[in-house]
Amino acid sequence: MKSSMLLWRLLPYVSKAAAKAQMEFDYDGPSMKTAVPGPRSQELTKQLGDIQNVGAVNFFCNYEESRGNYLVDVDGNRMLDIYTQISSIPIGYNHPALLKLMTNPNNLSTFVNRPALGILPPENFPDKIAESLLSVAPSGMTRVQTMACGSCSNENAYKAMFIWYRNKERGYKTPSDEDHSTCMINQAPGCPDLSILSFMGAFHGRTMGCLATTHSKVIHKLDVPSFDWPIAPFPKLQYPLEEFTRENALEEARCLEEVEDLIVKWRQKGKPVAGIVIEPIQAEGGDNHASPDFFRRLRDIARKHGCAFHVDEVQTGGGGTGKFWAHEHWGMDDPADIVSFSKKLLTGGYYHKDELQPYRIFNTWMGDPSKNLFLSEVLNVIRRENLLEEVTRSGKALLNGLYELQAQYPGILSRARGQGTFCAIDICDGATRDTILVKARDKGVLLGGCGDRSIRFRPALVFKEYHVHLLLNIFNDVLANHK
Ligand SMILES: Cc1ncc(COP(=O)(O)O)c(C=O)c1O
């Protein structure tokens, strides 16, 4: 390790102030008026509770008053939002560029008339898709299918992989009469016994197929029937990564070996692996990283065994890691056969190779053209304001600050890690993590948990160094007062 790195990791965190961000639509800082949830939030929770389950509701929001990096609640509390609606707000609240779109009369029909895109797309649809999603297509991909949300993107991507795999097996011949009759009664060969290999700790959504590949928390899976599909270990790395390269390489090699064993085992069981699905950074499962080399070798294993390689960028996509796609950090020309997205992209969907052409993938909406309008504008803002560079800069300040805090509070904090502003840190145990999240919120910083005892940082792309220091000062306060 470089001595300068060692030095800043050992120095205590001292309050820093960065130049105030030049953002006309941001507030100056948090402002707290009541405990959260405040009285109005509690009243509304009770009212909604008579209609639906409110077990997960934190508080009610005032989206009109929210701006930039700040979420305002119905009791007038203004919080620096580093959770951003589960990592799905790309350029902050009420960005003027997005509000302007709503005032353009030419866009009105797109907002008012939601089409069944698969059968009746609007005239400007090809242009708008080219302007938005195709302009950020992953390397080697020229085709994209929009969908509504992350789970439905993954669910349909899995179907596309199965259909592709069966077509290969059939030698691209028309399905037989037996295929037709058996599929209607859920039997093989029409409904073939194929599988998707996923990783322990993964989160790919909660619909039935996705859930079979989700292994982050018991609560998501309990009581729901699932498939007998192979689950490989995801590398458990030591951080900072650059200090444990040898140990981590051994751990990654162990996991890759297991992947190959599982592929062989499931083929022998008569349930061949049609596809491998993986997140570039396991997010819900605790912000678990792996090296570019791990992903390159996994891609090779998929190729060698004839499995499609699906990279789930639902949480990592859209710039939070400092590159538009997290898989760009792997430096590959041909990173995947499928890349799914949602959240910061505002629309769900997936890019795919030509041969995974998803005919027979269909539903009513298949996305929403109004989201493509917003996405085009988000991409303009990202380019115009060099937001990926900003994320890299803010991310460095954030991770360095977390290293400093970790050195200062070794009994509470460990395993600071991150790429861009997509950062996380572990807390000594789950209960302390939950207390710290509440205390930070009381001081006006909204953070989220992930895994058993991690805190994840998921700011918008307009989160500047100035906001990093605001956050670190408040986080430091919470830690200093933690008993
Ligand atoms: C990596 C990943 N995949 C899929 C999903 C599911 O997306 P959605 O909640 O939009 O269904 C999520 C949601 O957090 C995710 O993080």
Side-chain angles (χ1 to χ4, degrees), residues 86 149-151 154 203-205 279 283-284 312 314-315 342-343:
I86 325 182
C149 67
S151 301
N154 285 341
F203 186 93
H204 298 293
E279 296 155 89
E284 306 293 315
D312 177 351
V314 167
Q315 189 149 164
S342 191
K343 294 200 189 253

Side-chain angles (χ1 to χ4, degrees), residues 269-288:
K269 271 202 205 189
K271 301 178 180 192
V273 175
I276 296 178
V277 63
I278 194 159
E279 296 155 89
I281 301 169
Q282 280 192 338
E284 306 293 315
D287 272 36
N288 305 315

Side-chain angles (χ1 to χ4, degrees), residues 17-317:
K20 167 104 182 60
Q22 292 301 306
M23 286 167 59
E24 86 251 37
F25 69 108
D26 214 36
Y27 289 107
D28 279 346
S31 158
M32 301 304 285
K33 298 203 157 68
T34 69
V36 179
R40 180 68 183 136
S41 258
Q42 290 181 33
E43 207 175 278
L44 289 166
T45 306
K46 193 164 169 301
Q47 190 183 339
L48 186 64
D50 291 338
I51 306 166
Q52 25 176 266
N53 186 322
V54 286
V57 170
N58 294 189
F59 53 85
F60 280 76
C61 303
N62 180 339
Y63 289 108
E64 290 79 13
E65 291 300 319
S66 301
R67 301 260 182 291
N69 291 281
Y70 293 89
L71 178 62
V72 176
D73 77 2
V74 288
D75 290 284
N77 298 302
R78 185 205 301 154
M79 290 160 265
L80 181 62
D81 189 359
I82 298 162
Y83 195 34
T84 57
Q85 313 287 331
I86 325 182
S87 197
S88 68
I89 299 284
I91 52 174
Y93 294 101
N94 285 311
H95 195 288
L98 300 186
L99 292 179
K100 201 165 156 210
L101 271 184
M102 300 293 295
T103 62
N104 181 345
N106 296 331
N107 293 333
L108 285 184
S109 72
T110 309
F111 294 121
V112 171
N113 306 292
R114 187 173 186 181
L117 271 175
I119 51 172
L120 297 167
E123 183 179 7
N124 65 2
F125 192 56
D127 281 347
K128 291 295 166 192
I129 286 261
E131 243 174 56
S132 57
L133 287 164
L134 280 189
S135 76
V136 287
S139 170
M141 292 188 182
T142 55
R143 305 190 72 88
V144 65
Q145 178 60 61
T146 52
M147 283 288 161
C149 67
S151 301
C152 101
S153 307
N154 285 341
E155 195 77 28
N156 282 289
Y158 293 179
K159 282 175 63 184
M161 294 195 284
F162 289 135
I163 294 169
W164 163 80
Y165 195 88
R166 275 299 284 153
N167 269 331
K168 273 199 309 174
E169 280 190 332
R170 268 197 299 263
Y172 303 95
K173 293 200 193 90
T174 330
S176 66
D177 288 347
E178 193 192 8
D179 287 329
H180 285 191
S181 58
T182 52
C183 81
M184 294 305 287
I185 51 168
N186 301 353
Q187 301 293 318
C191 291
D193 238 341
L194 297 174
S195 60
I196 305 255
L197 181 142
S198 54
F199 288 82
M200 200 43 101
F203 186 93
H204 298 293
R206 303 182 192 219
T207 49
M208 294 284 283
C210 291
L211 197 55
T213 58
T214 284
H215 319 283
S216 53
K217 284 200 186 109
V218 168
I219 194 161
H220 303 323
K221 294 180 69 79
L222 192 67
D223 299 332
V224 183
S226 199
F227 297 109
D228 174 24
W229 290 354
I231 308 157
F234 191 87
K236 285 194 164 53
L237 301 190
Q238 298 181 61
Y239 302 91
L241 297 175
E242 63 279 9
E243 278 177 40
F244 294 96
T245 44
R246 203 178 53 83
E247 294 85 343
N248 288 343
L250 286 175
E251 167 64 357
E252 291 187 339
R254 177 186 77 83
C255 295
L256 290 169
E257 204 173 301
E258 184 82 7
V259 168
E260 284 217 74
D261 283 356
L262 288 168
I263 293 174
V264 172
K265 235 186 240 163
W266 254 255
R267 190 183 303 135
Q268 285 164 352
K269 271 202 205 189
K271 301 178 180 192
V273 175
I276 296 178
V277 63
I278 194 159
E279 296 155 89
I281 301 169
Q282 280 192 338
E284 306 293 315
D287 272 36
N288 305 315
H289 292 245
S291 72
D293 189 52
F294 173 82
F295 289 103
R296 287 193 286 260
R297 289 168 63 197
L298 186 64
R299 173 72 172 127
D300 284 345
I301 290 173
R303 242 190 234 112
K304 175 176 155 193
H305 291 276
C307 319
F309 190 56
H310 172 176
V311 177
D312 177 351
E313 291 249 23
V314 167
Q315 189 149 164
T316 48

